[in-house]
Amino acid sequence: MTSATPAPGPVPPMPEYTPKALRAAMAAHTPTLLPDFDAAWRRQIADAYDIGPVPAFMARWWGEYALARDPELDRRVTDLEARAAEATDAEAARKLLDEASRIRHELRDLEPGE
């Protein structure tokens, strides 16, 4: 899901924590995420009769955007995951994936404006 092409320049701040603001930030800074975001929205949220799935949806896409907006960090996580996929030692692969997972989880905790 990562490896989006962010706009050149400094890492943009995180938007307000709403689906509309997140989508607008993606459109402005990581437009290659939009097709997947919109498809997931239609599949998971648009036809829902309650808002129960929205927090999980936001957590996932908040993290995806947070990573994609920072090309250096995106490359680092992509590299960790690629090295884990190629590792022949299970313990080494686990450590690489643990580091990628730690980074992804930290990104989910970012606040608007960070």
Side-chain angles (χ1 to χ4, degrees):
M1 195 60 53
T2 59
S3 297
T5 306
V11 175
M14 293 301 289
E16 291 181 39
Y17 196 81
T18 66
K20 185 176 182 177
L22 182 57
R23 189 184 188 289
M26 284 180 187
H29 304 291
T30 58
T32 58
L33 289 179
L34 283 179
D36 288 339
F37 177 88
D38 288 341
W41 179 266
R42 285 189 302 275
R43 186 176 56 253
Q44 299 168 7
I45 308 299
D47 293 330
Y49 292 101
D50 63 55
I51 60 169
V54 173
F57 179 89
M58 283 297 296
R60 177 192 176 204
W61 286 99
W62 187 258
E64 290 296 334
Y65 173 71
L67 184 58
R69 75 191 176 119
D70 185 338
E72 184 177 318
L73 191 57
D74 191 2
R75 280 189 295 276
R76 180 170 177 219
V77 169
T78 299
D79 178 64
L80 288 167
E81 293 169 343
R83 288 171 39 211
E86 296 172 358
T88 56
D89 175 44
E91 182 63 18
R94 184 192 62 77
K95 287 180 180 179
L96 292 164
L97 291 175
D98 284 350
E99 177 65 10
S101 178
R102 182 193 63 74
I103 293 168
R104 287 180 178 277
H105 279 82
E106 285 178 2
L107 291 173
R108 289 184 180 174
D109 292 336
L110 289 175
E111 296 290 331
E114 290 187 307

